[in-house]
C-alpha cells in the first residue's frame, strides 16, 4: 500500500525550517490504491534537531474508523483480505462496515466481483456506478468514480450530463441501455415490460443481473459514505452540490 498526501498536515509541517516528512500515511483506504485515505492522518516529522514529533489531525467524519493496529482478529482478517485482492487497498466504505466484520467481509467480496469480474468492461460498469452516485448525491463516490470512468475511456461529456441530470448521448447501444436500466431502477424502482425485454436482448440475462448488482452494491456504498460523511481531499470540489445549485 503506497502512502499518500496527508490532508492538512503536509503544508504546516513543511513550513518548519528544515522539517522533513519522514512518513506520511493515513490509516484508511479507498477502492483503489490511488484513492486518498481518510480517518486519522498521522505524519512523523523529523525537525532540524533530529527530534521526532507526531502530528495528528482528525477529520470531521461521524465514525472513528479503526487503524489496522486497533482492529480485532475478525476485522483484521477482512482488512488483509481486501489488501490482497484486486483493488490492492481496503475500500473506503469497508472501514465503516468493519463494525460488523462478517458484513464487511461479504460486502467487500461482492464489490470486488462487481468491479472486476462482470461481463462488462469498466467503461460500461462505471455508467451504472455514476448514475447511482448521482441519484444519492454521494460526493465521495462521484469524485472517485468519475476519475475511474475517465481512465476507462468514458466521454467526459457523458459524465457531465449525468452530473447535471441531463440525458447523455451515447454512440454505443449497450451504454445507452445500461444508463436506461440504472436510471429506471433508481427512479422507477424497477423496469417496465418493454425496457426489461430490451435489456435482456441487449445485455443478456446475466448482464442485466450484473447491472442490478452494480446499482444495488453502490447504493449500499453511497448510503454508507453519505451517512458517515466521508470527506474529499483538501481543495477538491463537491461537484454534485455545485451542479444541483446551478440546476
Amino acid at each position: 500500500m503506497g502512502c499518500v498526501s496527508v490532508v492538512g498536515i503536509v503544508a504546516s509541517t513543511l513550513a518548519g525550517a528544515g522539517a522533513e516528512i519522514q512518513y506520511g500515511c493515513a490509516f484508511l483506504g479507498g477502492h483503489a490504491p490511488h484513492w486518498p485515505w481518510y480517518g486519522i492522518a498521522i505524519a512523523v516529522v523529523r525537525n532540524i534537531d533530529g527530534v521526532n514529533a507526531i502530528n495528528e489531525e482528525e477529520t470531521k467524519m461521524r465514525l472513528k474508523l479503526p487503524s489496522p493496529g486497533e482492529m480485532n482478529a475478525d476485522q483484521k482478517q477482512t482488512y488483509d483480505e481486501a489488501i490482497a485482492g484486486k483493488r490492492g487497498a481496503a475500500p473506503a466504505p469497508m472501514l465503516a462496515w468493519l463494525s460488523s466484520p462478517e458484513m464487511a467481509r461479504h460486502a467487500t467480496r461482492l464489490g470486488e466481483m462487481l468491479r472486476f469480474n462482470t461481463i462488462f468492461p469498466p467503461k460500461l460498469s462505471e455508467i451504472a456506478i455514476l448514475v447511482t452516485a448521482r441519484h444519492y448525491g454521494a460526493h465521495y463516490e462521484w469524485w472517485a468514480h468519475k476519475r475511474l470512468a475517465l481512465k476507462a475511456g468514458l466521454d467526459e461529456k457523458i459524465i457531465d450530463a449525468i452530473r447535471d441530470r441531463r440525458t447523455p448521448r451515447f454512440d454505443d447501444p449497450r451504454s445507452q441501455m445500461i444508463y436506461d436500466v440504472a436510471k429506471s431502477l433508481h427512479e422507477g424502482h424497477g423496469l417496465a415490460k418493454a425496457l426489461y425485454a430490451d435489456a435482456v436482448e441487449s445485455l443478456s440475462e446475466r448482464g442485466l443481473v450484473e447491472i442490478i448488482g452494480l446499482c444495488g452494491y453502490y447504493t449500499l456504498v453511497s448510503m454508507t459514505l453519505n451517512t458517515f460523511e466521508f470527506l474529499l481531499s483538501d481543495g477538491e470540489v463537491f461537484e454534485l452540490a455545485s451542479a444541483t445549485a446551478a440546476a
Side-chain angles (χ1 to χ4, degrees):
M1 295 179 296
C3 293
V4 296
S5 299
V6 180
V7 178
I9 292 178
V10 174
S12 61
T13 54
L14 290 178
E20 177 184 345
I21 295 292
Q22 197 171 37
Y23 173 81
C25 191
F27 286 130
L28 311 178
H31 284 295
H34 59 279
W35 278 29
W37 287 33
Y38 298 102
I40 298 177
I42 294 183
V44 178
V45 182
R46 187 178 66 210
N47 63 23
I48 56 177
D49 297 322
V51 178
N52 288 334
I54 297 178
N55 294 327
E56 298 186 3
E57 178 176 295
E58 293 193 15
T59 71
K60 296 179 181 179
M61 283 182 57
R62 288 174 167 175
L63 183 69
K64 182 183 182 299
L65 305 180
S67 71
E70 295 171 325
M71 295 176 187
N72 62 37
D74 286 341
Q75 291 172 329
K76 190 61 164 57
Q77 181 182 2
T78 297
Y79 177 84
D80 289 342
E81 181 180 309
I83 297 300
K86 292 184 178 181
R87 293 183 179 95
M94 191 205 78
L95 278 302
W97 299 337
L98 283 175
S99 294
S100 175
E102 195 68 11
M103 172 186 160
R105 181 176 299 114
H106 290 293
T108 302
R109 289 173 179 172
L110 175 62
E112 181 174 292
M113 179 270 153
L114 291 168
R115 273 284 308 280
F116 301 105
N117 296 321
T118 70
I119 64 173
F120 301 109
K123 181 179 178 180
L124 297 185
S125 296
E126 291 297 334
I127 295 171
I129 297 171
L130 289 176
V131 170
T132 303
R134 185 63 187 97
H135 179 76
Y136 285 97
H139 300 293
Y140 184 105
E141 195 68 12
W142 178 269
W143 175 83
H145 280 275
K146 175 182 177 179
R147 284 147 183 77
L148 292 174
L150 288 170
K151 183 179 179 181
L154 190 62
D155 191 332
E156 189 167 9
K157 292 180 180 178
I158 292 173
I159 298 172
D160 289 345
I162 295 173
R163 180 199 63 198
D164 297 339
R165 299 188 187 279
R166 293 182 284 106
T167 302
R169 298 183 63 180
F170 296 97
D171 295 329
D172 173 25
R174 289 209 304 167
S175 297
Q176 179 71 61
M177 183 57 61
I178 289 171
Y179 171 81
D180 290 344
V181 167
K183 186 175 175 64
S184 181
L185 287 172
H186 288 303
E187 296 183 2
H189 311 299
L191 303 184
K193 184 176 181 179
L195 179 56
Y196 172 81
D198 290 344
V200 170
E201 181 178 355
S202 176
L203 306 176
S204 78
E205 287 185 349
R206 174 181 170 178
L208 177 56
V209 167
E210 290 177 347
I211 293 302
I212 294 170
L214 280 164
C215 291
Y217 173 74
Y218 282 97
T219 290
L220 171 62
V221 169
S222 296
M223 288 181 173
T224 301
L225 299 176
N226 285 354
T227 297
F228 297 113
E229 297 183 345
F230 278 66
L231 305 176
L232 302 185
S233 289
D234 189 34
E236 293 290 343
V237 177
F238 288 127
E239 287 192 31
L240 301 185
S242 61
T244 300

